[in-house]
Amino acid sequence: MVPEGPPRAGRERAGLEEAAREPWIAPVPESPCRPHVMSACGAAGFTPDVVHHALDWNVTAHLVAHGLGVALIPRLAQLTPHLPTAGFPATVRALPRAARP
């Protein structure tokens, strides 16, 4: 998920590696979701610069909407409607089963 507007306006897909230089909002270190975010970024060839942590997907989405960073948020997360964000599938290379957290 990224803030709405340029440079991503009108895009339907993006490679995760395109967010390598962005500030990131990630799950708190204790979250079972954090290893998935870190592994996906690692598979895309970078370690995210985590500037904010959140316990809840809605909080994460609001931080993104306010331009404080980008995030990976599951498609099934229940988010507040009409946030000024752009969500599109990130192209992530599948990890081999042995490398999965």
Side-chain angles (χ1 to χ4, degrees):
M1 177 172 280
V2 297
E4 196 172 65
R8 299 162 195 98
R11 303 224 11 224
E12 291 184 22
R13 289 187 105 45
L16 190 58
E17 68 279 355
E18 294 178 49
R21 295 195 172 150
E22 300 278 351
W24 276 76
I25 301 156
V28 295
E30 303 81 31
S31 169
C33 297
R34 185 175 177 104
H36 297 288
V37 171
M38 303 307 282
S39 293
C41 292
F46 69 97
T47 299
D49 176 20
V50 178
V51 296
H52 297 287
H53 294 97
L55 286 169
D56 178 88
W57 295 123
N58 253 318
V59 171
T60 301
H62 278 82
L63 291 170
V64 171
H66 285 282
L68 298 175
V70 300
L72 284 179
I73 296 179
R75 281 182 276 190
L76 296 177
Q78 298 292 314
L79 302 177
T80 303
H82 312 297
L83 284 174
T85 59
F88 42 79
T91 305
V92 180
R93 184 174 49 122
L95 296 175
R97 185 168 281 305
R100 292 181 186 167

